Amino acid sequence: MKALVKQQSDVGLWLADVPEPTIGINDVLIRVHKTGICGTDVHIYNWDAWAQKTIPVPMVVGHEFVGEIVEIGSNVNDFRVGDIVSGEGHVVCGRCRNCMAGRRHLCKATKGVGVNRPGAFAEYLSLPMTNVWHHAPGVDPDVASIFDPLGNAVHTALSFPVLGEDVLITGAGPIGIMAAAVVRHAGARNVVITDVNPYRLDLAERVGVTRAVDVRSTKLTDVQQELGMTEGFDVGLEMSGNPSAFRDMISNMCHGGKIAMLGIPEGEMAIDWNEVVFNMLTIKGIYGREMYETWYKMTVMIQSGLDITPVITHRMPYTEFQQGFDTMRSGNSGKIILDWTV
Ligand code: NAD
Ligand code: ZN
């Protein structure tokens, strides 16, 4: 089958013929229809320090997908050939304390699809049945293909109550923009998103934010004043991984403000801890999605009108992956979807 492979310890990805995956008794085989390119895939493409120490080569990469089940293992009772599914990209151990308690997103031994085990940028993917999400009828296939990053957005955005609250999102990447749409859907009052990239700030405007702020030219304190906010943001969603964005967020929170932090900083990141202590802030780290409450929430929010389609800016056949990665790396894109059925 065709697959996008990290074939050697170098920058790039290679379209290659690799053997079709086989399945065990608890697995399903999926014919991949569409995939999303994730920031993680770009790290792997760029072969940065994280990728070099994490990814064994050769490795089929990719983890955001939608497809159709074409074969099931003999122990699998809940899925049928023909089911349209996506997959949770974190494969958990099932045996640690958190897994045993049903808190699988807190597993101590998580393995990543397309990171530690063969991924979804391929015609076929084998997954344990415990990682498969059967889509409700009517979910747009493009949206279904990005349930994994939408799940990052939803997990973060719903970490703290947002109904009626003023929410600050730092970073208008695809996940920040989806999070903006989610908190808007969930009833936030003011939704302010920041970035330093005009293309992405324009994109954020399309999901109905209150203000898309270029922090190179506008101060958050001025935005607060314009909006009549006197005490700071109630909820912060850090989605840039950028130290100055995080520091700016901390300085603009209300007393008792809650911060959910998804963005991954490149290294250590200094903040003024006095602001955290004296303003009694809560900071919660977020990794992946809750299994499977986040998946449930994504589905029901889409059924109740959440529209994240503006974040999808490019669609192309998988054979044009190079253009897809070049566009992602330029920063002038939202989500890019590769079609594997061509
Ligand atoms: P992205 O890199 O596409 O978006 C980050 C955005 O932050 C970019 O648009 C960038 O221009 C912007 N930015 C840079 N400096 C800024 C500043 N000073 N102020 C405001 N914005 C600034 O990433 P994404 O795919 O949208 O993901 C968001 C973040 O979440 C990334 O850091 C990513 O690594 C991380 N992530 C974490 C998890 C997890 O499980 N914790 C999963 C997926 C992604
Ligand atoms: Zn575990």
Side-chain angles (χ1 to χ4, degrees):
M1 66 169 183
K2 298 285 184 212
L4 284 183
V5 186
K6 189 70 174 180
Q7 257 174 341
Q8 63 211 52
S9 207
D10 205 350
V11 178
L13 284 176
W14 292 268
L15 187 57
D17 280 303
V18 302
E20 268 181 35
T22 52
I23 59 167
I25 57 173
N26 293 315
D27 302 333
V28 302
L29 187 68
I30 298 160
R31 173 68 173 95
V32 175
H33 290 169
K34 293 181 177 194
T35 59
I37 302 178
C38 173
T40 303
D41 304 320
V42 176
H43 286 291
I44 297 172
Y45 182 102
N46 291 341
W47 209 229
D48 63 13
W50 168 83
Q52 289 184 32
K53 73 167 193 282
T54 312
I55 313 289
V57 290
M59 175 64 75
V60 176
V61 302
H63 55 276
E64 303 176 357
F65 75 94
V66 63
E68 177 179 356
I69 294 184
V70 290
E71 193 185 337
I72 58 173
S74 57
N75 268 356
V76 178
N77 294 314
D78 300 326
F79 296 101
R80 300 275 171 274
V81 168
D83 286 350
I84 299 298
V85 297
S86 287
E88 166 56 54
H90 288 176
V91 178
V92 300
C93 79
R95 299 304 304 168
C96 70
R97 175 184 175 180
N98 281 316
C99 279
M100 293 295 279
R103 300 183 291 258
R104 288 182 276 178
H105 60 292
L106 298 176
C107 174
K108 73 175 180 61
T110 299
K111 297 264 184 290
V113 173
V115 174
N116 313 109
R117 52 178 285 150
F121 288 163
E123 288 176 292
Y124 293 92
L125 171 69
S126 163
L127 266 193
M129 61 175 156
T130 47
N131 274 67
V132 179
W133 180 259
H134 189 179
H135 281 292
V139 176
D140 173 347
D142 286 350
V143 171
S145 74
I146 54 169
F147 254 46
D148 176 293
L150 173 59
N152 294 132
V154 167
H155 185 185
T156 315
L158 301 186
S159 282
F160 300 109
V162 293
L163 178 62
E165 303 289 32
D166 296 330
V167 179
L168 171 63
I169 303 170
T170 44
I175 301 182
I177 294 175
M178 288 192 281
V182 170
V183 293
R184 182 52 90 207
H185 187 74
R189 181 173 65 169
N190 291 312
V191 181
V192 175
I193 192 164
T194 67
D195 207 291
V196 292
N197 174 337
Y199 178 99
R200 289 187 155 180
L201 289 165
D202 282 349
L203 205 54
E205 299 272 12
R206 298 178 50 197
V207 299
V209 295
T210 314
R211 288 278 193 289
V213 177
D214 190 332
V215 288
R216 293 172 307 175
S217 52
T218 307
K219 282 201 180 70
L220 279 174
T221 42
D222 293 340
V223 174
Q224 286 198 49
Q225 207 166 26
E226 259 177 59
L227 295 174
M229 292 171 51
T230 52
E231 301 193 16
F233 289 92
D234 305 293
V235 175
L237 310 177
E238 205 310 292
M239 305 220 151
S240 73
N242 182 283
S244 74
F246 185 45
R247 286 193 279 266
D248 212 15
M249 172 174 277
I250 287 176
S251 304
N252 280 278
M253 299 302 293
C254 70
H255 287 200
K258 312 269 195 287
I259 295 175
M261 206 169 161
L262 183 88
I264 302 173
E266 264 179 35
E268 290 181 6
M269 180 161 77
I271 58 169
D272 180 356
W273 284 98
N274 282 295
E275 288 184 303
V276 176
V277 173
F278 290 114
N279 299 346
M280 291 167 281
L281 304 182
T282 300
I283 303 176
K284 180 185 179 192
I286 305 286
Y287 183 48
R289 299 140 295 277
E290 287 189 0
M291 295 166 220
Y292 278 82
E293 183 62 8
T294 303
W295 293 78
Y296 178 85
K297 292 282 197 209
M298 285 190 264
T299 302
V300 296
M301 281 193 289
I302 284 167
Q303 289 173 331
S304 59
L306 172 68
D307 181 15
I308 54 140
T309 52
V311 83
I312 303 169
T313 53
H314 298 75
R315 297 166 175 85
M316 55 191 76
Y318 73 94
T319 46
E320 290 171 23
F321 76 94
Q322 188 61 54
Q323 189 198 328
F325 275 84
D326 291 345
T327 308
M328 271 292 273
R329 293 167 87 208
S330 76
N332 289 335
S333 76
K335 286 307 291 188
I336 298 179
I337 292 180
L338 302 178
D339 187 339
W340 288 81
T341 60
V342 288

